Amino acid sequence: MKTSHIATAAACAACARAQELPMVNSEDLQALINLDELVSGSQQLQDFAYAYPERNRVFGGQGHNDTVNFLAEVLEQTGYYDVTIQPFVELYSGGSSSLSINGQAYNNSLLTYTPDGSANASIVAVNNLGCEAADFPPEVADSIALISRGDCTFAVKSTNAAAAGALGAIIYNNVEGELAGTLGGLGDYVASVGTDLATGEALLAALQNGTELIGELEVDSVLENRTTYNVIAETKGGDHNNVLALGAHTDSVEAGPGINDDGSGTIGILNVAIGLTNFTVTNAVRFCFWSAEEFGLLGSTYYVSQLNETAEELAKVRAYLNFDMIASPNYAYLIYDGDGSAFNLTGPSGSAEIEALFEDYYTSVGKTYNATAFDGRSDYGPFLDVGIASGGIFTGAEVPKTEEGQDIWGGLEDLAYDENYHAVGDNIFNLALDAFWLNTKLIAHGVATYAQSFDSLPQPTSMTKRSAHLAKVKRQAYNGAHGSHGHHHCNSKDEDKTR
Ligand SMILES: [Zn+2]
């Protein structure tokens, strides 16, 4: 009894203090966003990655677990938030591979979900694109199959190679650049690696000249269930039946520390959360730090599935804002196309108003913006699927900037918005600090606006299951026509990871 008495007294002291705080407003919350804090927060995340040999923050790894604990501790210490660490379990795929041919080492990377394998055998070229069993000549048995990318998924090619008795498969790109892909899940595959177009063409030419190629292929695949964690921090104050949710993902890919993708969104929303503790709010604000986005939006999908178990919990979330990559080095100011005016993928009711809020913000600070497809390829996807008004911004990934883009935002034409996207160079030295600072102030503006009032959003209508389903089908059709399969993130992803 005594402890509960003390707890009650402490809670009331917090209440009294909250009542003395001023109501949040955009200008004052923005004024608390400090560039030094954004940089030191990013440095902290990078230090977590570089403290371990993997030098990344892949979900379930040590660099990622340190990130999760850091966020939970910082938010808990404010005393302003109820912090929940939400565990869930997902299949992790990683590991390493090596390939040498006639004693010479070749560039390669394992395909996600490949099995282990070890082969020291002849390399045999497959006919056509390896999409049919008949494409595999009998000599493929007990050999390493050499297959071009194209037409069908990597999974189909690897399955056909396994069925033909191959010991391994080398799939080479059909366009310039590395081939980094996924088999899309577990299956009856052979040990499979990807390599670049030049390597594939050189090997094919050697075979056609009658040169015998002996390959040594080693694939050390790690396939394991890993427990990982979302961090959810909700203001103690405010109306918990009318909640603004916002989120960023805390995990990186294997290749690097993930400081723009999505350390920038993580540290951006964290700093807004810290600034918000100086104010009181009308509506509760829920800061969501998602895990395992890079393996297919797994953390946000799990969270929404849990929320979706009771209709009341879902109805409490009035809007969701997503921030995935807000400081790309060769940036653009892109807003999710919630009204469907640019990409014809309209979000749930309220999404158009959120897009307009961010448009007005950029206009007010003299910046030009453009739209980016509202295709559900980051953590807002699961929120779209259940009909929650959503929005967000994005500064661009691997797509090259156009001449028009250079005219608008400066930077370099023909260079990717983020040339370090999903690569080792996605580190603190490659952040655009001006975009980082401005976009974090934009987040503060969004939080202040909706923490005060949802009056600018339409009244929530319970989106019918059918209309949510139809919108999802339309997004899937769009994604099918524009590469990638919903899995593997990042809004303007042109490259398809499964084929
Ligand atoms: Zn991302």
Side-chain angles (χ1 to χ4, degrees):
M1 287 307 285
K2 193 171 183 188
T3 50
S4 95
H5 174 73
I6 290 168
T8 307
C12 283
C15 289
R17 186 176 162 269
Q19 277 163 3
E20 289 162 17
L21 297 173
M23 174 56 62
V24 66
N25 71 84
S26 176
E27 199 179 328
D28 291 344
L29 184 57
Q30 285 186 60
L32 294 174
I33 302 305
N34 177 313
L35 183 59
D36 291 342
E37 296 291 331
L38 298 179
V39 171
S40 65
S42 304
Q43 181 72 55
Q44 178 67 76
L45 299 187
Q46 180 164 305
D47 291 347
F48 290 144
Y50 288 176
Y52 302 101
E54 300 79 25
R55 294 173 72 81
N56 63 33
R57 297 184 302 115
V58 171
F59 88 89
Q62 289 169 296
H64 184 252
N65 286 339
D66 287 356
T67 301
V68 166
N69 292 333
F70 162 76
L71 294 167
E73 261 172 47
V74 167
L75 291 159
E76 189 66 62
Q77 276 167 12
T78 64
Y80 187 85
Y81 294 99
D82 286 320
V83 180
T84 307
I85 298 177
Q86 180 186 43
F88 60 100
V89 180
E90 291 288 354
L91 179 65
Y92 164 84
S93 167
S96 61
S97 61
S98 68
L99 172 67
S100 68
I101 297 166
N102 291 356
Q104 188 192 335
Y106 282 85
N107 169 40
N108 73 99
S109 63
L110 58 72
L111 296 180
T112 305
Y113 302 112
T114 179
D116 266 335
S118 179
N120 189 345
S122 303
I123 292 178
V124 174
V126 162
N127 298 318
N128 304 314
L129 295 166
C131 296
E132 307 292 335
D135 293 340
F136 290 74
E139 310 88 83
V140 165
D142 298 322
S143 300
I144 299 169
L146 178 66
I147 314 169
S148 172
R149 181 184 183 186
D151 268 17
C152 58
T153 61
F154 303 133
V156 167
K157 295 172 198 280
S158 185
T159 304
N160 287 341
L167 300 175
I170 302 166
I171 301 176
Y172 61 92
N173 216 340
N174 57 0
V175 292
E176 292 296 322
E178 307 286 311
L179 190 152
T182 178
L183 296 167
L186 298 178
D188 293 324
Y189 308 128
V190 71
S192 302
V193 296
T195 193
D196 57 272
L197 176 61
T199 298
E201 284 179 338
L203 296 178
L204 202 58
L207 289 173
Q208 281 163 355
N209 287 339
T211 308
E212 192 186 8
L213 299 179
I214 303 293
E216 271 187 74
L217 177 66
E218 288 287 340
V219 176
D220 295 311
S221 176
V222 180
L223 286 167
E224 63 190 18
N225 281 320
R226 287 183 167 186
T227 301
T228 187
Y229 309 90
N230 293 324
V231 178
I232 311 294
E234 182 156 327
T235 53
K236 289 178 180 170
D239 179 356
H240 297 279
N241 292 317
N242 284 289
V243 177
L244 170 68
L246 67 158
H249 71 86
T250 56
D251 63 311
S252 74
V253 294
E254 207 84 34
I259 299 305
N260 183 38
D261 182 13
D262 182 26
S264 62
T266 299
I267 295 302
I269 71 168
L270 178 67
N271 275 265
V272 173
I274 293 167
L276 189 61
T277 63
N278 294 284
F279 303 94
T280 187
V281 291
T282 308
N283 300 314
V285 182
R286 186 179 300 170
F287 291 87
C288 306
F289 297 86
W290 310 120
S291 181
E293 191 271 359
E294 297 289 6
F295 275 70
L297 321 181
L298 302 180
S300 54
T301 300
Y302 178 75
Y303 179 80
V304 170
S305 75
Q306 296 301 107
L307 212 57
N308 204 10
E309 289 195 345
T310 60
E312 310 92 84
E313 284 307 312
L314 208 57
K316 289 174 183 173
V317 182
R318 288 290 304 274
Y320 173 72
L321 309 178
N322 196 65
F323 301 98
D324 186 359
M325 305 179 73
I326 64 168
S328 304
N330 193 31
Y331 63 83
Y333 291 123
L334 304 175
I335 307 173
Y336 296 153
D337 184 33
D339 66 4
S341 63
F343 294 89
N344 195 26
L345 294 167
T346 310
S349 170
S351 305
E353 285 78 1
I354 296 171
E355 183 184 5
L357 179 85
F358 292 143
E359 289 174 349
D360 291 347
Y361 181 80
Y362 281 130
T363 301
S364 76
V365 294
K367 300 296 181 192
T368 303
Y369 54 83
N370 212 334
T372 186
F374 207 40
D375 55 18
R377 284 188 213 164
S378 182
D379 291 306
Y380 61 97
F383 288 85
L384 295 187
D385 290 346
V386 293
I388 292 175
S390 300
I393 57 162
F394 171 56
T395 50
E398 82 290 5
V399 172
K401 191 175 247 180
T402 58
E403 187 183 350
E404 186 201 3
Q406 185 187 6
D407 290 344
I408 297 173
W409 298 293
L412 290 175
E413 179 190 347
D414 292 335
L415 179 69
Y417 294 108
D418 185 354
E419 62 172 333
N420 304 296
Y421 174 66
H422 287 184
V424 67
D426 184 7
N427 60 35
I428 192 163
F429 303 112
N430 291 315
L431 294 174
L433 296 181
D434 52 345
F436 197 1
W437 195 21
L438 181 67
N439 284 334
T440 305
K441 287 191 277 193
L442 173 146
I443 298 170
H445 177 65
V447 166
T449 301
Y450 296 129
Q452 276 175 303
S453 169
F454 285 118
D455 285 353
S456 60
L457 295 186
Q459 280 299 312
T461 52
S462 59
M463 191 178 186
T464 63
K465 282 209 162 106
R466 181 165 167 74
S467 63
H469 175 72
L470 289 176
K472 186 174 183 177
V473 167
K474 195 169 169 188
R475 275 197 303 283
Q476 285 170 339
Y478 175 90
N479 289 338
H482 292 79
S484 188
H485 280 213
H487 272 225
H488 241 101
H489 135 294
C490 274
N491 323 55
S492 68
K493 225 143 165 49
D494 276 344
E495 188 191 4
D496 187 333
K497 292 281 193 180
T498 62
R499 63 176 66 225

